[in-house]
Amino acid sequence: MAAWRAMRFASVAEGSNVGSETLDNLYDEVARISTAYPREPLNRVLGDLIEAQDVAFRLLEGRQRPRQTAELYLLSGVVSLMLAKASHDLGDPRAAMRQARTAYICADNADHDGLRLRVRAQQSLMAYWAGWATEAARYADLGRELASAVAGSAGVWMLSQSARTYASLGDSERARADLALAATKRDSLADDELDQMDGLMRFADCRYLYYCAEARIWIPGAEDEAEHAALQAIAAYDEAAAAGSPDWAYGDDAGARSDLALVRAAKGELDGVAEALRPVLDLPPDKRVAGVIASAMRVHGALREPRYHGSRQATRVQQEIEAYGRTPAAALSSGQ
């Protein structure tokens, strides 16, 4: 609270135009939140996100030089994008889309293709997890042209997100084509200025591997490929966690492990299901965001197949998943 009070005072003290110190302070704070968000429980970063958006919007209501206005719109867009993810993580897709639309308006005002592309990828992601597959495909298509033009990791994100979206719609050919394009884009990757914020703004290699597994989950006959990709993603996340890397993200790590459990359920390997899902079910309530719970519930659905009827082991896993989903992170953040 004291730090935010100091930032507000600095912005006033520098005069009617935004000074370099104020912009530097805001940039540093936005980058810190971007790095912290995937690693920390949501209730630890949500208040700071709301404060950052408030400060950025208040500054935009004043007068700045054109270059400073563009920088403020960029930072406002990044914060609004992170708040879109926060609403998504709290299980409110409609509020998430409102924040994302604000982020896109900011990206337009900043004339920043890297942010435009990240917003489209996030919109597609949120629609995908809300069960709006055709809407997810629409947002993926809106970002497709930018994916080849933008240098940063957002292009890999957009193509990978498109792959799992089209795979979920049954278009395996399109999904495989998008995965191939994402791999090519990844091989020639050059960071942009938003990648340098790390965390949410950078589509890390481990996240790419997770999306590869997720896409193949939907492709008939690709169970072995999906299992291999999920194991690669889990190994990459384990390595990132051990190194204290900003690439580690508990939500996507849990998603990769849930995908591994889902593949093993499809292959009839119940012991493997329980083993893969154990770290997910051990997550504390403040890390049980909507996407993580949705991933676990897909495993629950797979265990309802006729082959598992009467299996005590399958029933125990289902009961654990049900108990797990009764205390989501949203319940702990309702006071924010």
Side-chain angles (χ1 to χ4, degrees), residues 6 20 43-44 53 88 97 106 114 118 121-122 129 139 176 186 227 253 259 267 279 301 324 331:
S20 60
N43 57 8
R44 294 187 190 173
Q53 188 185 58
H88 163 71
M97 286 297 185
C106 290
R118 284 170 173 82
Q122 183 66 30
W129 284 111
Y139 282 119
R176 288 192 179 279
R186 177 185 176 222
E227 183 173 21
D253 184 355
D259 281 350
K267 296 170 74 172
Y324 174 83

Side-chain angles (χ1 to χ4, degrees), residues 40-321:
E40 298 286 343
L42 180 55
N43 57 8
R44 294 187 190 173
V45 297
L46 186 55
D48 285 346
L49 267 176
I50 293 168
E51 288 279 3
Q53 188 185 58
D54 182 62
V55 167
F57 284 176
R58 284 178 181 272
L59 290 173
L60 279 168
E61 290 172 358
R63 295 189 301 109
Q64 308 90 35
R65 298 180 181 87
R67 178 185 62 79
Q68 293 169 328
T69 300
E71 290 181 31
L72 275 175
Y73 271 118
L74 178 62
L75 292 174
S76 298
V78 171
V79 172
S80 297
L81 177 57
M82 288 193 282
L83 278 167
K85 176 170 170 52
S87 293
H88 163 71
D89 285 341
L90 293 172
D92 190 345
R94 298 190 187 282
M97 286 297 185
R98 286 196 293 271
Q99 288 283 2
R101 292 186 189 105
T102 299
Y104 198 86
I105 291 169
C106 290
D108 268 347
N109 279 284
D111 194 21
H112 197 285
D113 282 344
L115 181 57
R116 287 188 182 105
L117 186 54
R118 284 170 173 82
V119 176
R120 291 305 190 207
Q122 183 66 30
Q123 287 173 311
S124 179
L125 177 156
M126 295 185 303
Y128 172 85
W129 284 111
W132 310 333
T134 56
E135 186 76 348
R138 183 176 75 85
Y139 282 119
D141 289 345
L142 285 172
R144 191 170 186 80
E145 285 187 22
L146 284 175
S148 58
V150 172
S153 69
V156 184
W157 182 13
M158 185 75 266
L159 291 165
S160 302
Q161 171 59 31
S162 179
R164 68 176 182 176
T165 296
Y166 276 96
S168 74
L169 287 168
D171 192 340
S172 300
E173 183 178 347
R174 169 67 182 271
R176 288 192 179 279
D178 283 341
L179 286 174
L181 288 171
T184 300
K185 180 77 174 176
R186 177 185 176 222
D187 289 341
S188 59
L189 194 62
D191 286 354
D192 67 8
E193 62 182 307
L194 294 184
D195 284 317
Q196 293 168 11
M197 287 185 173
D198 279 325
L200 287 184
M201 291 302 107
R202 182 171 180 271
F203 191 73
D205 277 351
C206 37
R207 196 175 180 196
Y208 161 77
L209 293 168
Y210 158 47
Y211 277 51
C212 287
E214 179 84 12
R216 289 180 170 91
I217 287 289
W218 299 101
I219 299 175
E223 290 85 2
D224 289 342
E225 293 177 65
E227 183 173 21
H228 178 67
L231 287 168
Q232 282 187 307
I234 292 166
Y237 276 118
D238 283 345
E239 184 178 342
S245 167
D247 290 347
W248 182 75
Y250 70 83
D252 292 330
D253 184 355
R257 294 178 191 277
S258 296
D259 281 350
L260 180 59
L262 197 58
V263 173
R264 288 177 173 172
K267 296 170 74 172
E269 300 172 2
L270 261 181
D271 288 340
V273 172
E275 178 189 18
L277 207 57
R278 185 75 268 149
V280 181
L281 298 179
D282 286 342
L283 282 174
D286 58 8
K287 289 187 174 180
R288 296 175 192 174
V289 295
V292 171
I293 292 176
S295 292
M297 287 304 299
R298 288 197 305 192
V299 181
H300 185 286
L303 295 177
R304 292 200 297 268
E305 291 183 7
R307 74 169 107 178
Y308 293 122
H309 288 175
S311 168
R312 292 183 179 179
Q313 186 177 8
T315 299
R316 281 197 300 271
V317 174
Q318 286 180 305
Q319 288 172 339
E320 278 200 81
I321 293 171

